[in-house]
RNA sequence: GGUCCCGUAGUUCAAUGGAUAGAAUAGAAGUUUCCUAAACUUUAGAUGCAGGUUCGAUUCCUGCCGGGACCA
């Protein structure tokens, strides 16, 4: 049986105590994990509630009688933990002892690492961002980057060793389209000669390719060709396809151009990554993994995992697993996406042997990753079972999906600039920045602007599609990073005045808001655990907002600096200090910084 | 055609099968001699439809309606 220990989280202690009491009272065996414990709803007396229904039936007792016996037993067995209980219908409401909260604050108020767990030697790989090198990043990439980075941090906080990776989709027909258009129309333009950020410059030629293709197709259709044939026969399309063949053949001029244009794109991406704080421990390049993928397909063919059609294309039959047949190599021998993903999975396994390999990729690829995992399992890849597709929903506009062709794509760099500008405008409006240096102001605008965007994109459950309305831009009031940052800045202001002499031991009771805050703080480690299990930064965002909101109510109601008694002052300083620490940790896990003043 | 996902206040989001479905925003009404009003307080407003399982369903099952994605 699991012992109750002092620094175990409260909710776990209640579960364990309940499990023990059930055994002592009725010889009823129920594991702590199966006992439902919630926070007590505010309209009832108590702090935590044990939901009794699940064991009412096997014990053949009325909920009231069971609740009263259990409550009594819990009180007697854990006098330091519970002081009172009441039973309403099937709910046993427990009141936590005052001393428990005071001990907790005394023990943890100065713990800068509160909520973080020690390393335990398990390795998690998280692949995210994964851009194509033919155009700049957009809002959807930002959701991806923020999610991947944040989930890595959340795993780290829960004691895992993290490897952040990125696969650059640096080869294929899409790159060739940009290259052809650049050859045709650029007249040698470079990022240096134009002053345009490299990823945008290359993206511009990708767009030009599309425009030129459309024009050529229209001409061919006008001369009697079908739309479908025209798209294949258009000279610019044929040129792009020829270029892909030349690339695969290693033709020096094509390779040189490819390297040059990709280097422009990487320089552009790096600038954006630096600004948003995305970083990677290891970057893979598709151009390096697709050949390995083809080898593995060949091996799989020998093993009988794959089968070859008469036309030479290679397939896997997954009908027995409830899926379809899926192509893994084209009839001309070229690689499909799946081919290189197999190569990448094997390479990751060889290099890192991670216990879990997370792919942060949009939900349009759900089927693809189901197939990838199955293929890896059938190929006998040791880490295949650890493959997990973290599937997130698209970011949509009120009018629907962002579409390149309709020019409705929200560019990443643009939206970052807009957010920071908006942060600057609002900050000036507030007029509270006396004594800030120019650098400090600059930093504050970035902190608020980027924080706002990150919070906005992370506060929604990753699995769900979300809507972004560029007209309304992003609010800096309500459920936002700004709200949390503001609470933090107000606490820091108090702590600057009052200093750090807050280590004293406190006696006496807690007012409702003092207790609510302490209780919320106590939940933080459990919240981080939940966020990790659900791979959802939104859990952390929601918690941070909840804590900041409770603190703001507390702040409006009670004075810290002019507390009624010296004991109250120490108590409130401990609460304030710990609230600041937890708010900072929570926002940092979302990639959001906190300002000392704002 | 097949597979999968999603429908909650005007809007954007919550709710491991549990108590009277929470927030935010927009709306209405208030709060500045006192630690930062980017704040606080009060107020009104929602589970697509029809069945089923259950002591109890936003949650699980079936059908329908509506939206989306993927596979050819």
């Amino acid at each position: 049986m699991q012992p109750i220990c002092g620094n175990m989280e409260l909710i776990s202690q209640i579960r364990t105590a309940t499990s023990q009491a059930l055994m002592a009272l009725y010889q009823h065996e129920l594991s702590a994990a199966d006992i439902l414990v919630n926070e007590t709803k505010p309209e009832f007396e108590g702090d935590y509630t044990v939901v009794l229904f699940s064991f009412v039936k096997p014990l053949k007792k009325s909920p009231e009688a069971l609740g009263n016996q259990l409550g009594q037993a819990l009180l007697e067995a854990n006098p330091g933990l519970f002081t009172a209980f009441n039973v309403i219908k099937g709910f046993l409401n427990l009141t936590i002892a005052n001393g428990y909260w005071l001990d907790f604050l005394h023990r943890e108020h100065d713990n800068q690492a509160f909520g973080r767990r020690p390393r335990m030697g398990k390795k998690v790989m998280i692949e995210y961002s994964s851009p194509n090198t033919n155009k700049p990043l957009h809002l959807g990439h930002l959701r991806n980057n923020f999610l991947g980075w944040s989930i890595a941090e959340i795993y780290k906080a829960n004691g895992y060793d993290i490897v952040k990776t990125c696969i650059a989709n640096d080869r294929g027909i899409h790159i060739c389209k940009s290259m052809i258009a650049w050859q045709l129309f650029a007249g040698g333009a470079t990022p240096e000669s134009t002053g345009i950020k490299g990823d945008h410059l290359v993206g511009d030629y990708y767009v030009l390719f599309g425009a030129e293709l459309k024009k050529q197709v229209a001409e061919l259709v006008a001369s009697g060709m079908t739309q479908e044939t025209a798209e294949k026969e258009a000279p610019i399309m044929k040129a792009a396809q020829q270029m892909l063949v030349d690339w695969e053949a290693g033709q020096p001029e094509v390779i040189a151009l490819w390297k040059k244009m990709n280097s422009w794109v990487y320089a552009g991406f790096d600038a954006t990554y630096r600004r948003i704080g995305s970083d990677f421990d290891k970057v893979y390049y598709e151009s390096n993994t697709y050949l390995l993928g083809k080898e593995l397909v060949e091996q799989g063919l020998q093993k009988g995992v794959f089968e070859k059609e008469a036309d030479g294309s290679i397939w896997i039959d997954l009908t027995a697993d409830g899926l379809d047949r899926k192509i893994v190599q084209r009839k001309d021998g070229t690689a499909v996406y799946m081919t290189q993903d197999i190569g990448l999975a094997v390479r990751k396994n060889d290099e890192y042997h991670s216990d879990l390999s997370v792919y942060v990729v949009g939900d349009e690829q759900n089927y693809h990753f189901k197939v990838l995992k199955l293929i890896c399992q059938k190929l006998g890849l040791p880490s295949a079972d650890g493959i997990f597709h973290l599937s997130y929903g698209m970011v949509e506009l009120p009018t629907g999906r962002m579409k390149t062709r309709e020019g409705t794509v929200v560019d990443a760099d643009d939206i970052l600039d807009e957010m920071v500008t908006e942060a600057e405008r609002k900050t000036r409006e507030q007029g509270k920045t006396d004594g800030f240096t120019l650098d400090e102001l600059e930093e504050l605008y970035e902190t608020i602007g980027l924080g706002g965007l990150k919070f906005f994109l992370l506060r929604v459950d990753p699995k769900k599609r979300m809507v972004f309305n560029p007209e309304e831009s992003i609010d800096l009031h309500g459920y936002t990073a700004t709200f949390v940052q503001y609470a933090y800045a107000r606490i820091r202001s108090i702590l600057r005045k009052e200093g750090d002499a807050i280590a004293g031991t406190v006696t006496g009771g807690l007012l409702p808001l003092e207790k609510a805050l302490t209780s919320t703080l106590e939940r933080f480690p459990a919240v981080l655990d939940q966020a990790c299990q659900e791979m959802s930064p939104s859990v952390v965002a929601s918690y941070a907002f909840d804590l900041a909101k409770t603190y703001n109510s507390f702040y409006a109601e009670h004075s810290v600096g002019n507390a009624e008694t010296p004991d109250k002052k120490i108590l409130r300083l401990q609460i304030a200090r710990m609230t600041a620490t937890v708010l900072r940790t929570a926002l940092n896990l979302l990639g959001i910084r906190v300002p000392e003043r704002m």
Side-chain angles (χ1 to χ4, degrees):
Chain A
M1 188 176 286
Q2 212 180 0
I4 298 182
C5 66
N7 57 9
M8 191 158 88
E9 286 145 33
L10 186 46
I11 200 155
S12 305
Q13 291 190 50
I14 297 171
R15 286 207 180 96
T16 306
T18 304
S19 170
Q20 289 173 355
L22 284 171
M23 179 54 86
L25 281 174
Y26 313 113
Q27 292 74 55
H28 182 66
E29 186 149 3
L30 191 61
S31 81
D34 293 331
I35 295 168
L36 182 60
V37 178
N38 293 330
E39 287 169 79
T40 303
K41 303 247 171 198
E43 56 268 33
F44 300 100
E45 182 77 35
D47 300 310
Y48 278 89
T49 298
V50 181
V51 181
L52 303 170
F53 295 104
S54 62
F55 32 90
V56 159
K57 203 173 257 178
L59 291 175
K60 297 194 176 78
K61 291 189 174 296
S62 77
E64 284 77 11
L66 178 65
N68 281 309
Q69 285 177 347
L70 191 57
Q72 198 59 44
L74 283 171
L75 239 63
E76 282 165 14
N78 309 277
L81 195 54
F82 308 115
T83 49
F85 74 91
N86 64 80
V87 181
I88 297 169
K89 293 193 259 179
F91 301 93
L92 169 60
N93 300 321
L94 296 160
T95 301
I96 303 302
N98 211 48
Y100 179 89
W101 302 122
L102 295 176
D103 283 350
F104 166 75
L105 285 172
H106 183 67
R107 191 174 65 239
E108 303 287 359
H109 76 269
D110 204 25
N111 178 2
Q112 298 299 301
F114 177 68
R116 295 181 186 271
R117 289 175 168 73
R119 289 175 60 187
M120 56 178 180
K122 286 212 167 191
K123 191 182 288 174
V124 178
M125 263 194 122
I126 300 187
E127 176 189 297
Y128 68 103
S129 197
S130 309
N132 291 341
T133 57
N134 65 324
K135 54 185 172 186
L137 305 174
H138 57 69
L139 187 57
H141 290 114
L142 291 180
R143 189 180 195 193
N144 181 306
N145 273 274
F146 297 161
L147 271 174
W149 193 90
S150 177
I151 285 164
E153 289 301 309
I154 288 168
Y155 264 97
K156 206 187 283 175
N158 279 281
Y160 292 85
D161 294 334
I162 292 300
V163 182
K164 288 184 266 195
T165 75
C166 174
I167 171 80
N169 298 304
D170 62 345
R171 47 142 253 137
I173 191 72
H174 53 288
I175 315 298
C176 295
K177 290 178 180 175
S178 290
M179 287 158 66
I180 281 290
W182 185 85
Q183 279 186 329
L184 288 174
F185 307 119
T190 67
E192 292 74 31
S193 74
T194 57
I196 297 172
K197 197 162 164 277
D199 50 340
H200 288 264
L201 182 74
V202 172
D204 289 346
Y205 288 100
Y206 184 72
V207 172
L208 263 182
F209 176 93
E212 179 64 19
L213 175 65
K214 196 175 169 189
K215 206 169 86 189
Q216 293 184 1
V217 167
E219 283 165 12
L220 291 171
V221 169
S223 67
M225 202 178 271
T226 67
Q227 179 78 20
E228 200 180 340
T229 320
E231 279 170 12
K232 282 182 191 150
E233 293 300 317
I236 195 166
M237 181 58 93
K238 297 197 92 162
Q241 271 153 357
Q242 182 57 44
M243 187 172 257
L244 181 59
V245 172
D246 292 344
W247 183 91
E248 296 220 4
Q251 205 199 76
E253 300 93 78
V254 173
I255 297 291
L257 177 62
W258 172 74
K259 282 187 175 163
K260 179 164 75 177
M261 290 183 71
N262 269 350
S263 76
W264 297 343
V265 172
Y266 293 136
F269 286 170
D270 282 348
T272 305
Y273 286 147
R274 227 174 300 127
R275 187 174 196 189
I276 65 179
S278 264
D279 57 346
F280 306 100
D281 301 307
K282 170 80 185 181
V283 178
Y284 290 101
Y285 298 89
E286 192 183 303
S287 54
N288 282 333
T289 57
Y290 83 106
L291 289 174
L292 175 59
K294 284 163 83 163
E295 271 172 45
L296 290 159
V297 166
E298 194 54 44
Q299 287 172 22
L301 203 54
Q302 308 299 324
K303 284 195 211 168
V305 176
F306 304 126
E307 53 198 29
K308 199 171 220 166
E309 290 276 287
D311 68 0
S313 60
I314 301 178
W315 295 72
I316 184 162
D317 186 351
L318 297 170
T319 46
D321 299 281
L323 303 175
D324 294 326
R325 290 180 82 235
K326 178 88 185 175
I327 191 164
V328 294
Q329 190 169 304
R330 293 197 193 91
K331 62 183 174 187
D332 60 4
T334 57
V336 295
Y337 277 120
M338 190 60 75
T339 324
Q340 52 228 14
D341 277 348
I342 295 168
L344 179 58
V346 168
R347 183 152 292 170
K348 281 176 165 179
N349 175 69
D350 291 347
E351 292 182 3
Y352 292 100
H353 305 98
S354 55
D355 298 280
L356 176 66
S357 179
V358 179
Y359 292 77
V360 182
V361 180
D363 62 7
E364 57 203 351
Q365 309 255 22
N366 283 354
Y367 189 80
H368 177 84
F369 278 99
K370 234 191 251 183
V371 172
L372 176 65
K373 182 166 183 169
L374 261 174
I375 291 178
C376 289
Q377 285 170 330
K378 286 179 191 293
L379 287 174
L381 186 68
S383 59
D385 292 341
I387 289 177
F388 183 85
H389 174 208
L390 178 66
S391 156
Y392 66 91
M394 298 288 105
V395 182
E396 293 182 357
L397 303 175
T399 48
R401 256 185 118 159
M402 295 189 280
K403 294 201 175 95
T404 313
R405 268 174 295 168
E406 292 169 23
T408 55
V409 174
V410 178
D411 178 78
D413 294 318
D414 289 350
I415 188 71
L416 292 170
D417 285 341
E418 278 171 38
M419 288 301 297
V420 172
T421 304
E422 178 66 7
E424 176 172 356
R425 201 179 64 76
K426 284 278 167 58
T427 304
R428 295 198 167 175
E429 225 172 79
Q430 293 287 333
K432 291 194 279 194
T433 50
D434 287 352
F436 277 67
T437 66
L438 282 179
D439 283 352
E440 285 169 343
L441 278 176
E442 202 79 359
E443 193 185 325
L444 180 63
Y445 303 151
E446 289 279 323
T447 300
I448 295 173
L450 293 196
L453 185 62
K454 289 185 181 185
F455 198 93
F456 180 85
L457 290 173
L458 289 176
R459 67 185 195 181
V460 180
D461 183 335
K463 291 189 289 295
K464 298 208 172 167
R465 276 184 291 158
M466 64 181 296
V467 176
F468 171 76
N469 190 340
E471 306 299 313
E472 295 173 4
S473 83
I474 290 172
D475 212 327
L476 299 179
H477 299 274
Y479 188 21
T480 63
T482 312
F483 183 94
V484 182
Q485 289 167 328
Y486 182 62
Y488 178 84
R490 292 212 291 189
I491 297 174
R492 294 301 305 157
S493 173
I494 291 176
L495 295 179
R496 276 194 299 273
K497 284 195 187 93
E498 301 295 339
D500 286 342
I502 55 177
T505 310
V506 179
T507 56
L510 289 111
L511 296 167
L513 280 167
E514 292 167 343
K515 187 159 91 173
L517 262 178
T518 308
S519 166
T520 305
L521 290 167
E522 199 277 337
R523 272 173 39 221
F524 186 53
V527 167
L528 291 189
D529 186 65
Q530 187 197 347
C532 186
Q533 283 183 32
E534 295 178 11
M535 291 195 203
S536 181
S538 70
V539 171
V540 177
S542 164
Y543 171 83
F545 176 70
D546 186 37
L547 179 59
K549 194 171 164 52
T550 308
Y551 180 82
N552 281 341
S553 298
F554 162 83
Y555 181 91
E557 196 75 23
H558 308 294
S559 176
V560 176
N562 300 314
E564 301 87 279
T565 67
D567 259 20
K568 276 288 178 207
K569 182 161 173 174
I570 291 172
L571 173 77
R572 288 178 192 166
L573 279 170
Q574 288 182 346
I575 291 175
R577 182 174 177 102
M578 205 172 164
T579 301
T581 304
V582 170
L583 289 179
R584 189 189 59 219
T585 304
L587 285 188
N588 286 351
L589 290 176
L590 303 175
I592 300 170
R593 291 178 300 192
V594 287
E596 294 300 302
R597 292 182 293 156
M598 67 186 279

